[in-house]
Amino acid sequence: RFSQQAASILTSGKFAEALDLSKEDPKTVAKYTYGQKQVGHQNTTSEGPEAGRKLLIARRMIEAGVRVVSVSISDFDTHTRNFDRMRQLMPITDNAIFALITDLQSRGLLDTTTVIAWGEFGRTPKVNAKAGRDHWPRVSNAILAGGGLKVGQVIGKTDKYAGEVTDSPVSFQDIVATLYNRLGMDSRAETIVDPSGRPHYLTPGGSVVRQLI
């Protein structure tokens, strides 16, 4: 069913129209753009301070009927010059996420659209010799909004260094299980049985985060 809907959107011309920001109100476009000019070293994302416009395209794709939209903003792999780079990366991202959520809300789309922002892991509590932070799978974070979720709360706690979880741990699988729940799907449902007879599931090991629903 999803593939049929996707094919319908692609062939109807709605998809191409969603990508065309010239059809959008310039004031709305400006909301998604972080306007700080770059000085000295290139500290921002390699996509530039207008990277947030991709989230505007995401909103337009949702309006066109696309069921799932994924957007990436690059250069958060801050193994060097973490602090210089984050001073510009974070405002670009924060501004764009705020613009997306408030834009969806003003158009009556937020209750039916779940927004999630996250990376694939966290960063080391200690700074390395190049003023960077390396990969750290023990602690990460996610921002969720919309989709009928119970928002406006912080779930989970770490030590003062953000190095170890100390209370209410939530895994990536738990978040995915919660998203499936909002779609009316059982995250533990069996998908296939492989040739060896072993069953596979949508999210093995994940549980719905009950504080969110």
Side-chain angles (χ1 to χ4, degrees), residues 10-58:
L10 288 170
T11 55
S12 68
K14 289 183 180 180
F15 181 73
E17 187 174 338
L19 299 177
D20 185 2
L21 294 186
S22 68
K23 300 181 181 297
E24 188 65 67
D25 182 342
K27 292 182 180 178
T28 302
V29 177
K31 287 199 310 181
Y32 286 81
T33 304
Y34 179 63
Q36 181 174 336
K37 301 298 181 185
Q38 303 306 306
V39 242
H41 292 292
Q42 180 68 27
N43 293 329
T44 183
T45 170
S46 55
E47 300 160 292
E50 296 184 349
R53 292 188 181 190
K54 292 192 289 186
L55 274 70
L56 174 54
I57 292 174

Side-chain angles (χ1 to χ4, degrees), residues 3 26 35-37 82 100 117 135 150 188 205:
S3 61
Q36 181 174 336
K37 301 298 181 185
N82 174 81
L100 175 64
H135 298 175
K150 293 178 181 177
R188 297 166 298 179

